[in-house]
Amino acid sequence: MNTALNLPLPQGSHIQAYADDIIVVIRETLPLFRFITIQVVNNIKYLGVTRDCCLTFTKHFKALRDKTDSLIYKLSTVANEIYSKRSGLFRKIYYEAIEPYLLFGVGALGNILKLKKIRYSLNSLQRRPLIKITKAYRTISTEALQVIAGVVPLDIKAKGVFGKFLLTTINNDIKFGSKIFKWEYYETRLDPYNIHAADNISITYDKHKPSGEEIEIYTDGSNINDQVGAAIVVFYYNAEIFNRTITLSDFATMYQAEVTGVKMTLEFISTFGPFNNINLYTDSLSVLEALNTFKTSQQDILAIKNDILEMSKKNPLHSTGFQLTLEFRGMKQLIVLLKKLQRDLTLKKIQRNPLNN
């Protein structure tokens, strides 16, 4: 396989490998064809998705329906024997096992997800699972089953999966209805296996009460009424010397706001010289655990780790150093800042849309 991957190919042709599967995509006739016989087929299966020459995916949907029926029967049998026939049990099985199975490889369909035939094929895959959930008659329409079960049609879910792929992997903006989603609003994921082992570092944290000595920084995020912000407050021997708030996109999550708070803290620390001891206090256990983990796929977390590592190298007076601390006690000044930020965000929203308030 290494030999194949290193073969020089004409422009427009390439080799793609995943695990033990390899495929050669050729746009033009190669001299190689003179020495081997290539059989022409109407269907090809690659990475679990069967493609046909007309890209109708008919054979793929048929195979998926047969496998899904078998999966439903096996899961139902086990669930009924172990957990009895509890109400809502199969709904959970559908969301956790069946729907992800049906949506596997849906990104391969790409823009043909808009076609009526493809939408019909996807939604028809939901019929038997939804009949199992609702216990309805088999003559009921698929649309009615989706409404009664309260389950999003599979063609819409498929568009969502494909849209997420375009946003986070291809970095393309997408439009759903009248709403436009910008790819830069979403976190970029890294492949942890593409990061050198020496760059996988762990930033530990502690649990202790503030001492009131030297520099202590408090940070938190706020997410109220779909408005997101972050704030930091800096104290030097219990005297407030600095504070800052920042507004994030309405698409940002609480976790992203808390990560932003830590990044704001590092930006502040980089503005002054060597220090003996700095404590950062946050109540975000998820951010602390992300920093404490060696491997990460989060670009912001990796950037924070690298910044902390560089700070430790440039600080010759580093004694106890930069300490991340988990602290659940409310900080009055920080809460005041976040509430003020919330009022400002609400006021701006009212000024932008006066007729909607």
Side-chain angles (χ1 to χ4, degrees):
M1 184 172 283
N2 286 340
T3 302
L5 293 174
N6 291 325
L7 284 175
L9 295 176
Q11 186 177 4
S13 304
H14 69 275
I15 294 178
Q16 179 175 316
Y18 183 86
D20 60 347
D21 283 334
I22 187 170
I23 189 170
V24 184
V25 181
I26 302 171
R27 293 176 181 264
E28 297 179 359
T29 303
L30 298 179
L32 183 65
F33 289 174
R34 301 175 185 174
F35 308 103
I36 63 173
T37 301
I38 295 183
Q39 181 183 0
V40 178
V41 296
N42 291 326
N43 299 281
I44 180 173
K45 186 176 182 180
Y46 183 63
L47 299 181
V49 179
T50 302
R51 297 165 174 83
D52 56 85
C53 56
C54 297
L55 292 181
T56 63
F57 291 89
T58 302
K59 187 173 182 179
H60 173 73
F61 287 128
K62 184 181 183 305
L64 191 57
R65 183 179 291 106
D66 294 340
K67 291 181 180 179
T68 303
D69 290 345
S70 175
L71 180 64
I72 291 171
Y73 173 76
K74 292 176 182 178
L75 288 175
S76 300
T77 302
V78 174
N80 290 338
E81 289 180 358
I82 299 177
Y83 299 104
S84 75
K85 297 180 180 181
R86 288 188 313 192
S87 174
L89 175 61
F90 193 77
R91 180 187 297 273
K92 184 173 180 63
I93 292 175
Y94 171 80
Y95 280 120
E96 299 294 334
I98 297 174
E99 188 176 78
Y101 184 77
L102 293 174
L103 292 173
F104 174 78
V106 75
L109 278 63
N111 290 323
I112 69 170
L113 286 169
K114 301 176 183 178
L115 299 181
K116 184 177 180 180
K117 179 178 175 60
I118 298 297
R119 299 203 315 269
Y120 174 81
S121 298
L122 284 168
N123 288 329
S124 66
L125 295 174
Q126 283 184 307
R127 280 195 58 81
R128 292 197 181 182
L130 295 187
I131 289 174
K132 184 77 176 176
I133 291 175
T134 60
K135 299 181 180 179
Y137 291 109
R138 295 184 180 274
T139 55
I140 192 171
S141 68
T142 302
E143 292 81 2
L145 283 171
Q146 292 165 339
V147 173
I148 296 171
V151 173
V152 177
L154 198 64
D155 68 315
I156 297 178
K157 292 288 294 227
K159 290 178 182 177
V161 172
F162 181 58
K164 184 178 179 181
F165 167 75
L166 293 177
L167 279 172
T168 60
T169 305
I170 308 299
N171 292 345
N172 283 353
D173 297 341
I174 63 171
K175 184 177 181 180
F176 269 51
S178 60
K179 199 158 187 78
I180 297 177
F181 297 87
K182 299 285 187 179
W183 69 266
E184 60 263 27
Y185 292 161
Y186 295 84
E187 183 180 13
T188 303
R189 292 280 176 174
L190 303 173
D191 184 353
Y193 297 100
N194 285 338
I195 303 173
H196 194 278
D199 295 329
N200 288 323
I201 60 174
S202 172
I203 307 298
T204 59
Y205 66 92
D206 198 1
K207 298 179 182 180
H208 62 78
K209 296 180 180 180
S211 64
E213 297 180 356
E214 298 197 35
I215 297 176
E216 293 179 330
I217 306 176
Y218 298 81
T219 179
D220 200 0
S222 174
N223 186 348
I224 304 174
N225 298 328
D226 296 327
Q227 298 169 356
V228 187
I232 66 170
V233 180
V234 184
F235 291 86
Y236 183 67
Y237 287 95
N238 275 333
E240 182 180 338
I241 61 172
F242 179 81
N243 67 69
R244 183 189 174 195
T245 59
I246 188 172
T247 304
L248 279 71
S249 163
D250 291 344
F251 295 104
T253 63
M254 185 68 174
Y255 176 79
Q256 290 173 320
E258 291 166 339
V259 170
T260 300
V262 177
K263 293 169 65 176
M264 290 166 60
T265 301
L266 298 180
E267 291 174 4
F268 170 78
I269 295 174
S270 65
T271 61
F272 57 88
F275 53 85
N276 285 330
N277 188 20
I278 293 180
N279 278 282
L280 168 60
Y281 293 91
T282 177
D283 63 354
S284 177
L285 183 59
S286 55
V287 173
L288 293 175
E289 284 294 338
L291 292 170
N292 192 32
T293 303
F294 276 94
K295 288 186 178 181
T296 181
S297 61
Q298 301 176 46
Q299 188 166 341
D300 285 342
I301 294 295
L302 184 63
I304 290 174
K305 286 183 177 184
N306 292 333
D307 287 345
I308 293 176
L309 185 62
E310 288 301 315
M311 287 180 182
S312 64
K313 292 178 180 178
K314 295 178 181 179
N315 185 26
L317 299 180
H318 195 315
S319 55
T320 54
F322 180 82
Q323 178 67 51
L324 290 171
T325 307
L326 180 65
E327 173 60 51
F328 287 102
R329 297 190 309 164
M331 187 64 199
K332 183 178 179 181
Q333 290 88 336
L334 188 61
I335 294 173
V336 169
L337 280 175
L338 289 172
K339 286 184 176 180
K340 181 180 182 301
L341 178 63
Q342 173 62 28
R343 289 195 299 269
D344 294 342
L345 290 173
T346 303
L347 180 61
K348 289 180 180 179
K349 190 172 184 180
I350 292 174
Q351 291 172 344
R352 287 198 305 264
N353 304 290
L355 298 179
N356 296 333
N357 297 276

